[in-house]
């Protein structure tokens, strides 16, 4: 089967230089490169537009300016070549990426963590999800990016070519996370939702205190930046782990996962963080789940996952539209059936799990 994902660069090409994604710049880069990206993809695959079975494109959720560029180009393309069009939910694609590499049967629990999203859901089918929890403010990747920006890590000789999250992970390897105490968010809220804004405020307060102690202005590199990075990374990991732990217990109590070889899939850009993966593996092992994660290169936004989602939908005949269908992009779009209130009502208290990660 020939398949091709038509969506231009995701915006990460400008992320490192700017310390985060700047929507207008991402839109500009999309417009400048999308035709070349599609042309090169066709050339490398040896396929012609006429040989394509369908075109799959991200239409939700995400940066409105970038979604608009991809959708506009794709609609012209499918009409020109008279091809079926498959609009793709970005988070569904992340959830199903692991199935591109190995047979993972439904249902399974999935934690999606990225620069713009965080959620927990049960994947019951290609287009069938139960939403257990979601972020209430900012996403973990956004938090790590903002901490890196506040620490001015772009000025650090080891971090100048890295995204914020990558810089945090690198410096944290040599940092002392125990130097600073950070409260895990939502400790008295017994659901599976996430909140990272308050955690970032705690970290900002610590940074300001360090600047005062070292007698430097905002924007200067702090001598203890690696310790802040380690503490921030651990706090994010602990919050993700605790909410995931509760999601596992909720699923087990409600028979939402198979008793034989239940699986936890972790995907999204933040899933490429090795420390966070190790913390989540502790939870998975303690609760009897198999932890799976796509390779790091497929965790961040990528064309292959959108194409694979298109393949899965095409095989099952779901969500396939004619080339002249009227499609709009949706910057904000929920995933599946929201049962977060049921999870909150269950008020599951967590048994303690010791989180000890060896950092190499």
């Amino acid at each position: 089967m020939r398949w091709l994902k038509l969506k231009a660069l995701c915006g990460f090409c400008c992320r490192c230089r700017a310390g985060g994604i700047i929507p207008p710049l991402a839109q500009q880069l999309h417009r400048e490169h999308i035709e070349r990206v599609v042309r090169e993809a066709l050339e490398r695959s040896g396929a012609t537009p006429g040989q394509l079975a369908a075109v799959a494109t991200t239409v939700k959720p995400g940066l409105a300016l970038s979604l608009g560029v991809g959708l506009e180009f794709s609609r012209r393309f499918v009409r020109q070549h008279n091809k079926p069009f498959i609009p793709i939910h970005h988070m569904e694609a992340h959830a199903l990426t692991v199935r591109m590499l190995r047979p993972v049967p439904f249902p399974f629990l999935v934690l999606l963590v990225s620069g713009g999203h965080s959620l927990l859901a049960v994947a019951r089918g290609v287009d069938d999800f139960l939403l257990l929890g979601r972020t209430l403010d900012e996403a973990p990747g956004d938090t790590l990016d903002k901490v890196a920006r506040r620490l001015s890590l772009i000025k650090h000789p080891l971090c100048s070519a890295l995204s914020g999250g990558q810089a945090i992970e690198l410096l944290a390897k040599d940092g002392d996370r125990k130097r600073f105490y950070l409260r895990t968010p939502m400790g008295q809220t017994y659901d599976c939702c996430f909140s990272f804004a308050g955690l970032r405020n705690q970290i900002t307060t610590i940074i300001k205190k360090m600047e005062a102690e070292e007698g430097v202005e905002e924007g200067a590199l702090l001598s203890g930046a690696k310790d802040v990075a380690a503490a921030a990374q651990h706090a994010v990991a602990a919050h993700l782990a605790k909410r995931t732990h509760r999601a596992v217990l909720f699923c087990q109590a409600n028979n939402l996962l198979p008793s034989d070889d239940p699986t936890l899939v972790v995907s999204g850009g933040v899933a490429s963080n090795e420390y966070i993966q190790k913390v989540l593996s502790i939870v998975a092992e303690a609760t009897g789940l198999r932890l799976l994660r796509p390779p790091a290169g497929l965790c961040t936004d990528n064309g292959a996952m959108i194409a694979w989602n298109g393949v899965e939908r095409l095989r099952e005949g779901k969500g396939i539209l004619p080339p002249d269908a009227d499609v709009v992009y949706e910057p904000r779009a929920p995933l599946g059936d929201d049962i977060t209130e049921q999870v909150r009502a269950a008020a599951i208290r967590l048994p303690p799990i010791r989180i000890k990660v060896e950092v190499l």
Side-chain angles (χ1 to χ4, degrees):
M1 179 185 295
R2 298 277 191 182
W3 45 271
L4 175 66
K5 183 269 191 180
L6 295 180
K7 175 173 174 280
L9 304 179
C10 65
F12 285 97
C13 44
C14 63
R15 187 173 197 149
C16 300
R17 297 192 302 273
I21 295 177
I22 300 176
L25 181 56
Q27 180 191 43
Q28 176 187 340
L29 290 169
H30 274 64
R31 282 178 172 161
E32 291 175 356
H33 295 282
I34 190 167
E35 290 198 32
R36 175 184 58 80
V37 168
V38 172
R39 183 176 65 253
E40 290 179 357
L42 285 167
E43 291 172 353
R44 291 176 184 178
S45 69
T48 65
Q51 292 175 295
L52 300 179
V55 173
T57 301
T58 307
V59 299
K60 59 184 176 182
L63 297 175
L65 298 179
S66 298
L67 290 174
V69 173
L71 179 57
E72 179 185 3
F73 180 92
S74 298
R75 290 181 67 188
R76 288 200 309 268
F77 187 94
V78 297
R79 289 171 179 172
Q80 178 183 352
H81 300 287
N82 193 31
K83 293 297 175 181
F85 183 59
I86 308 177
I88 299 296
H89 191 298
H90 174 197
M91 304 311 288
E92 287 186 9
H94 273 305
L96 299 180
T97 300
V98 70
R99 285 167 49 88
M100 178 170 53
L101 307 171
R102 58 197 304 172
V104 182
F106 297 113
F108 56 84
L109 178 63
V110 59
L111 170 66
L112 301 180
V113 279
S114 68
H117 308 277
S118 58
L119 60 85
L120 280 157
V122 177
R124 302 191 297 183
V126 170
D127 61 349
D128 183 5
F129 293 82
L130 291 178
L131 181 65
L132 307 179
R134 64 185 183 280
T135 187
L136 301 178
D137 39 57
E138 64 190 40
D142 188 30
T143 295
L144 293 174
D145 280 346
K146 288 176 178 176
V147 171
R149 191 179 306 131
R150 186 62 180 79
L151 286 169
S152 300
L153 295 188
I154 197 170
K155 298 179 181 178
H156 195 289
L158 298 177
C159 302
S160 60
L162 302 177
S163 70
Q166 292 171 332
I168 292 289
E169 182 177 8
L170 177 63
L171 291 190
K173 292 179 179 180
D174 296 319
D176 178 10
R177 70 171 180 82
K178 296 182 179 179
R179 178 179 172 185
F180 304 108
Y181 171 72
L182 294 170
R183 296 185 307 279
T184 304
M186 303 179 71
Q188 301 304 310
T189 306
Y190 305 119
D191 63 14
C192 292
C193 290
F194 305 93
S195 174
F196 294 95
L199 176 60
R200 180 166 55 82
N201 289 338
Q202 291 183 63
I203 299 168
T204 299
T205 299
I206 289 172
I207 294 172
K208 288 180 178 178
K209 183 179 179 181
M210 293 176 67
E211 289 170 343
E213 291 173 348
E214 296 187 17
V216 299
E217 298 292 330
E218 179 179 337
L221 279 174
L222 294 169
S223 61
K226 62 183 180 181
D227 299 329
V228 177
Q233 177 178 253
H234 180 77
V236 168
H239 186 36
L240 293 172
K242 290 178 180 179
R243 313 318 269 191
T244 302
H245 188 186
R246 180 172 289 110
V248 172
L249 297 181
F250 178 84
C251 289
Q252 291 174 337
N254 291 274
N255 298 314
L256 296 178
L257 297 176
S259 57
D260 182 30
D261 197 24
T263 300
L264 167 63
V265 170
V266 185
S267 192
V270 177
S272 63
N273 182 295
E274 294 297 330
Y275 184 90
I276 290 175
Q277 185 196 20
K278 289 177 181 178
V279 170
L280 292 169
S281 70
I282 294 172
V283 173
E285 182 177 355
T287 53
L289 269 69
R290 174 180 57 154
L291 177 66
L292 297 179
R293 183 195 71 172
L298 293 177
C299 284
T300 55
D301 291 348
N302 63 90
M305 73 178 192
I306 305 301
W308 175 252
N309 193 293
V311 170
E312 293 239 51
R313 284 180 167 272
L314 194 61
R315 286 173 174 170
E316 296 196 11
K318 295 182 176 180
I320 305 169
L321 304 178
D324 60 349
D326 188 17
V327 181
V328 296
Y329 61 84
E330 302 175 50
R332 297 183 181 275
L335 176 69
D337 296 326
D338 189 337
I339 62 169
T340 54
E341 289 301 325
Q342 294 180 39
V343 178
R344 183 176 295 111
I348 297 174
R349 293 176 180 264
L350 301 178
I353 292 180
R354 188 184 180 199
I355 296 178
K356 184 177 181 181
V357 178
E358 298 293 333
V359 180
L360 300 178

